[in-house]
Amino acid sequence: MTNAAQNTIFQQGSMDQQQGFLVQQPGLMTLIQDAGRYGQHGIGLTVGGPLDAEAFRWANRLCSNDVGATALEVSFGGLVLEAQVETVIALTGADIPLTINGEAQPMWQTLPVKAGDKIKLGFATSGSRAYFAVAGGLCVPHTFGSAATVVREGIGGLAGEKQGAKLAKGDVLTCQSSTGIELRCLPEQHRPDYSKDVKLRVILGYQKEAFSDLQIATFVSSEYTTTDRSDRMGFRLEGPQIKPSINGILSEGICHGAIQVPADGQPIVLLNDRQTIGGYPKIGSVLSLDTGKLAQLSPGAKVRFETITIDDAHNLHMLAKHREESANLVPV
Amino acid sequence: MRIEVAGENALILYVGTHGEQGVAHRVEQVTRLLKESMGDLLIDLVPSYASVLIIFDLFRCDHLKVRQAIRNIEPQLTNEASENGRIVTLPVYYAAEVGADLEDLARNAGLTTDEVIHLHQATDYRVYAIGFAPGFAYLGDVDERIAAPRLSTPRQRVPRGAVAIADRQTAVYPAVSPGGWNLIGRCPQRMFNPDLDPSMPVQVGDKVRFESITRDDYLSLGGSLDD
């Protein structure tokens, strides 16, 4: 918790070099992200950070980085980079065809690159967010304690004029050169399957009393469809209406995964770039282990809700953390 | 006080209803006391009109521990409103050329524009909440006579510094954004500047007083007339 603005602090090792990766094509939406910007809700700043935090952490682990190191979130694909240094990279998340100098390369694996190599990402065939990490992390100035880009706020990412913007052609992503890093992959059984139906586990809360038993029964027994009115702020779903007995509430804090139900009765799951406060009734919040799966879906996908208690949520997180930390990367 | 679960690592504490005596003061006290007692077990707090969202580190504590922390601070809460909050004075150029809704608002209220301008300055507003956008401070309560509903069609673009009214709330837009509030003037002081520390001139619990300035003063303080 801090009130102070940590304005621009460079990560170590970034001062003396301006080389790393040159953006030849930025893709549809590629954002610089780290674990997110925390402790700044007091001035209205949201969290940002990777929509699929698990895939993001794996990209960093494959590069022997801290799991929150600065990397790229590539939505839908289309990114083309030219390496200017020798290092290793890894791509995780949505299934995206990857080539280096025209040759197909595997995802979920550490890959060596050298100056002049052309790294090309196609478009996602399953899932929609991929994560590109590089050994040592990208050297990006921190704004309010984080490199995370929040376009809506104009904060994070590259400095100066490019602050708060998605990547553009000609940007240079600075990083250190690294040699001698072990090449490893994540065994198949630990990788997520983005083609599966998604079940969103929900902790009922907030204004749950404003929803009748019948409304809640409808909510958990129906199928909802993702829509194209979805972005990093939130995912708007379509399905049977659920109507709260109240229209609006006094504006209050909104946590990650909160399910807002406006007057049309169609739920919106609020994600990383959400507003920090708002005045729509909320039925509860989606478990963060599941919001990453939601964010991987394309419009038209089916989801279902299932209720769990806050104690269940706690246990599920402990278990997931243990599983993730005990999954070993294997040499290739 | 009522506690509800908000999410996997968040509880929301309702300390009363808006307008009730001492509510804003309790929000402020709860925020301060929880920060002190929970330290880095907290990820963040979101104080608002009558509630505080408490986001905690679920790998280091759980909701039971947070409920206990809330019970522990309860005896320390007082009802009397403290008068030690800061008063921040913000200059405003009130005019139709920078306040597109000033004349309509006055007409609908059955007042002259001068009366609207006078009434807007006559209250010391409390900063109830900060959110919506970085540095956007919700100030209240606006005199009932100049309270005005949001525009039926929000503007695509409200300029930085716009001083506006929505119902009994008022605010200064910290940055260019869409918005549906009624514009009555413009403030040359920036409400959010990431390059400054602190980045905002106000925080929740402060009082804000508006002070009318002339067009010349507005321009010399760096104000812009552009939309």
Side-chain angles (χ1 to χ4, degrees):
Chain A
M1 296 287 300
T2 167
N3 299 317
Q6 287 82 36
N7 299 338
T8 301
I9 300 165
F10 282 84
Q11 290 179 332
Q12 58 155 123
S14 68
M15 303 301 277
D16 53 344
Q17 53 168 309
Q18 295 298 320
Q19 289 222 309
F21 291 87
L22 173 69
V23 178
Q24 292 191 330
Q25 283 176 36
L28 290 178
M29 186 176 67
T30 302
L31 298 174
I32 292 171
Q33 296 292 350
D34 60 13
R37 185 171 287 109
Y38 292 93
Q40 303 294 345
H41 285 340
I43 53 171
L45 297 185
T46 195
V47 176
L51 289 174
D52 183 346
E54 187 189 349
F56 173 83
R57 288 191 297 266
W58 280 122
N60 274 320
R61 269 183 72 181
L62 284 162
C63 293
S64 302
N65 295 344
D66 179 282
V67 292
T70 305
L72 298 178
E73 176 176 275
V74 183
S75 289
F76 320 113
L79 176 70
V80 181
L81 300 173
E82 185 190 302
Q84 298 169 319
V85 296
E86 181 177 354
T87 184
V88 300
I89 60 162
L91 185 69
T92 63
D95 295 340
I96 287 185
L98 169 67
T99 61
I100 297 178
N101 301 327
E103 218 168 286
Q105 300 290 338
M107 291 182 66
W108 303 95
Q109 181 173 320
T110 322
L111 302 166
V113 294
K114 58 184 188 310
D117 282 355
K118 189 168 182 175
I119 302 152
K120 190 170 176 182
L121 280 67
F123 287 89
T125 54
S126 173
S128 49
R129 323 277 163 179
Y131 295 91
F132 176 91
V134 55
L138 297 172
C139 300
V140 172
H142 283 189
T143 309
F144 298 101
S146 165
T149 312
V150 179
V151 175
R152 177 172 69 78
E153 295 177 342
I155 282 179
L158 297 174
E161 287 296 295
K162 293 177 181 294
Q163 171 93 219
K166 61 184 187 177
L167 288 192
K169 186 176 178 165
D171 287 348
V172 174
L173 306 167
T174 310
C175 68
Q176 297 166 340
S177 59
S178 304
T179 51
I181 293 175
E182 197 186 359
L183 305 183
R184 299 176 297 172
C185 76
L186 180 67
E188 196 97 32
Q189 74 265 26
H190 299 302
R191 300 180 198 175
D193 177 357
Y194 299 115
S195 66
K196 282 208 292 205
D197 286 347
V198 169
K199 186 179 67 186
L200 301 172
R201 287 164 289 186
V202 174
I203 304 108
L204 294 178
Y206 276 120
Q207 287 75 41
K208 66 174 193 297
E209 305 299 336
F211 296 86
S212 68
D213 290 349
L214 183 63
Q215 302 290 338
I216 290 176
T218 304
F219 175 65
V220 297
S221 64
S222 306
E223 200 170 64
Y224 286 86
T225 308
T226 55
T227 69
D228 57 5
R229 288 151 76 207
S230 298
D231 56 22
R232 286 186 46 91
M233 281 182 76
F235 267 52
R236 213 174 269 266
L237 304 175
E238 244 170 40
Q241 288 191 340
I242 40 167
K243 290 268 178 143
S245 58
I246 46 175
N247 266 331
I249 54 164
L250 204 53
S251 285
E252 63 182 29
I254 302 174
C255 67
H256 182 94
I259 306 163
Q260 191 168 278
V261 186
D264 65 3
Q266 303 291 303
I268 304 170
V269 181
L270 296 168
L271 300 176
N272 303 51
D273 289 4
R274 67 193 176 278
Q275 294 181 7
T276 55
I277 64 175
Y280 289 106
K282 297 173 289 299
I283 193 169
S285 299
V286 176
L287 185 73
S288 66
L289 296 171
D290 295 345
T291 55
K293 295 175 192 147
L294 175 64
Q296 289 286 5
L297 297 176
S298 306
K302 308 285 182 216
V303 299
R304 282 181 174 277
F305 293 99
E306 177 188 300
T307 61
I308 58 170
T309 66
I310 191 171
D311 293 306
D312 295 335
H314 195 104
N315 293 337
L316 288 164
H317 266 286
M318 294 294 174
L319 196 63
K321 187 178 167 78
H322 175 74
R323 273 204 194 122
E324 188 176 311
E325 286 173 356
S326 59
N328 287 319
L329 298 170
V330 299
V332 289
Chain B
M1 299 215 293
R2 182 167 61 89
I3 304 170
E4 292 286 348
V5 167
E8 63 188 20
N9 66 342
L11 297 178
I12 186 161
L13 175 63
Y14 296 100
V15 301
T17 53
H18 182 54
E20 189 187 312
Q21 188 65 29
V23 169
H25 178 55
R26 277 208 294 286
V27 167
E28 200 183 321
Q29 286 181 90
V30 163
T31 305
R32 181 170 42 82
L33 292 169
L34 283 177
K35 247 184 221 176
E36 283 167 16
S37 69
M38 292 191 62
D40 60 4
L41 296 179
L42 283 178
I43 290 176
D44 215 339
L45 290 171
V46 188
S48 191
Y49 287 89
S51 64
V52 181
L53 178 69
I54 305 159
I55 307 168
F56 56 89
D57 183 345
L58 65 72
F59 292 110
R60 297 180 54 217
C61 68
D62 64 7
H63 70 109
L64 299 173
K65 181 146 184 172
V66 180
R67 288 172 195 271
Q68 184 62 52
I70 295 168
R71 278 195 294 276
N72 290 346
I73 62 161
E74 224 173 328
Q76 299 174 57
L77 301 180
T78 57
N79 262 330
E80 69 218 63
S82 70
E83 289 309 322
N84 53 11
R86 292 187 308 156
I87 296 187
V88 178
T89 301
L90 296 176
V92 181
Y93 170 43
Y94 294 98
E97 74 169 321
V98 288
D101 304 312
L102 179 62
E103 286 169 355
D104 282 349
L105 192 151
R107 193 175 316 115
N108 294 335
L111 300 169
T112 65
T113 55
D114 281 349
E115 285 167 333
V116 171
I117 293 166
H118 170 76
L119 286 171
H120 190 251
Q121 294 173 81
T123 303
D124 285 346
Y125 300 101
R126 181 182 276 270
V127 181
Y128 282 114
I130 293 170
F132 171 66
F136 191 100
Y138 290 83
L139 311 174
D141 293 335
V142 168
D143 191 301
E144 276 182 62
R145 286 169 285 178
I146 56 168
R150 286 173 178 76
L151 306 176
S152 51
T153 310
R155 288 188 173 83
Q156 287 297 312
R157 183 188 158 92
V158 173
R160 184 170 87 195
V163 177
I165 291 176
D167 304 319
R168 297 195 63 189
Q169 307 173 100
T170 184
V172 180
Y173 279 77
V176 172
S177 76
W181 293 30
N182 301 272
L183 312 184
I184 60 168
R186 202 108 40 105
C187 172
Q189 156 126 32
R190 281 185 71 174
M191 295 302 285
F192 180 73
N193 184 345
D195 298 328
L196 293 184
D197 183 7
S199 51
M200 286 190 67
V202 300
Q203 54 185 13
V204 171
D206 287 348
K207 291 279 179 69
V208 170
R209 184 176 293 169
F210 291 111
E211 200 173 76
S212 177
I213 56 170
T214 64
R215 189 178 198 268
D216 285 349
D217 287 343
Y218 172 72
L219 293 173
S220 67
L221 287 167
S224 159
L225 298 172
D226 298 344
D227 287 335

Coordinates of all heavy atoms in Angstrom, one line a residue, chain A residues 10 18 50 118 138 144 155 160 187 226 252 289 293:
Chain A
F10 N 13.5 3.2 -13.8 CA 14.0 2.2 -14.8 C 14.4 1.0 -14.1 O 15.0 1.1 -13.0 CB 15.1 2.8 -15.6 CG 14.6 3.7 -16.7 CD1 14.4 5.0 -16.4 CD2 14.3 3.2 -18.0 CE1 13.9 5.9 -17.4 CE2 13.9 4.1 -19.0 CZ 13.6 5.4 -18.7
Q18 N 19.8 0.4 -25.9 CA 18.5 0.8 -26.5 C 18.2 -0.3 -27.5 O 17.5 -0.1 -28.5 CB 18.6 2.1 -27.2 CG 18.8 3.3 -26.3 CD 17.7 3.4 -25.3 OE1 16.5 3.3 -25.6 NE2 18.0 3.7 -24.0
P50 N -1.9 -9.0 -17.2 CA -2.3 -10.0 -18.2 C -3.7 -10.6 -17.9 O -4.0 -10.9 -16.7 CB -1.3 -11.2 -18.0 CG -0.7 -11.0 -16.6 CD -0.8 -9.5 -16.3
K118 N 13.9 -13.0 -37.5 CA 12.6 -12.4 -37.7 C 11.6 -13.4 -37.0 O 11.4 -14.5 -37.4 CB 12.3 -12.3 -39.2 CG 11.0 -11.5 -39.4 CD 10.9 -11.1 -40.9 CE 9.6 -10.3 -41.1 NZ 9.6 -9.8 -42.5
L138 N 11.4 -7.5 -20.4 CA 11.6 -6.2 -21.1 C 12.0 -5.1 -20.2 O 11.5 -5.0 -19.0 CB 10.3 -5.9 -21.9 CG 9.9 -6.9 -22.9 CD1 8.5 -6.5 -23.5 CD2 10.9 -7.0 -24.1
F144 N 3.7 4.5 -11.6 CA 3.0 4.1 -10.4 C 3.3 2.6 -10.1 O 2.4 1.8 -9.8 CB 1.5 4.3 -10.6 CG 1.1 5.8 -10.8 CD1 0.8 6.2 -12.0 CD2 1.1 6.6 -9.7 CE1 0.5 7.6 -12.2 CE2 0.8 8.0 -9.9 CZ 0.5 8.4 -11.1
I155 N -1.8 5.0 -19.4 CA -0.7 4.8 -18.4 C 0.0 3.5 -18.7 O -0.7 2.5 -19.1 CB -1.3 4.9 -17.0 CG1 -1.5 6.4 -16.7 CG2 -0.4 4.2 -16.0 CD1 -2.1 6.6 -15.3
G160 N 7.1 8.4 -22.5 CA 6.9 9.6 -23.3 C 5.6 9.6 -24.1 O 4.6 9.2 -23.6
P187 N 5.6 -29.6 -20.2 CA 4.9 -30.8 -20.7 C 3.4 -30.6 -21.0 O 2.8 -29.8 -20.3 CB 5.1 -31.8 -19.6 CG 6.3 -31.3 -18.8 CD 6.2 -29.8 -18.9
T226 N -20.7 -15.5 -25.0 CA -19.8 -14.3 -25.1 C -20.2 -13.4 -26.3 O -20.6 -14.0 -27.3 CB -18.3 -14.7 -25.1 OG1 -18.1 -15.5 -26.3 CG2 -17.9 -15.4 -23.9
E252 N -19.6 2.1 -5.6 CA -18.8 1.4 -4.6 C -17.7 0.7 -5.3 O -17.7 0.6 -6.6 CB -19.6 0.4 -3.8 CG -20.2 -0.7 -4.7 CD -21.1 -1.6 -3.9 OE1 -21.7 -1.2 -2.8 OE2 -21.2 -2.8 -4.3
L289 N -9.1 -17.7 -11.1 CA -8.6 -18.8 -11.9 C -9.4 -19.0 -13.2 O -8.9 -19.7 -14.1 CB -8.6 -20.1 -11.0 CG -7.8 -20.1 -9.8 CD1 -8.1 -21.3 -8.9 CD2 -6.3 -20.1 -10.1
K293 N -9.6 -17.9 -18.4 CA -10.2 -18.8 -19.4 C -11.3 -18.0 -20.2 O -11.4 -18.2 -21.4 CB -10.8 -20.0 -18.8 CG -9.8 -20.9 -18.1 CD -10.5 -22.1 -17.4 CE -9.5 -22.8 -16.5 NZ -10.1 -23.3 -15.3

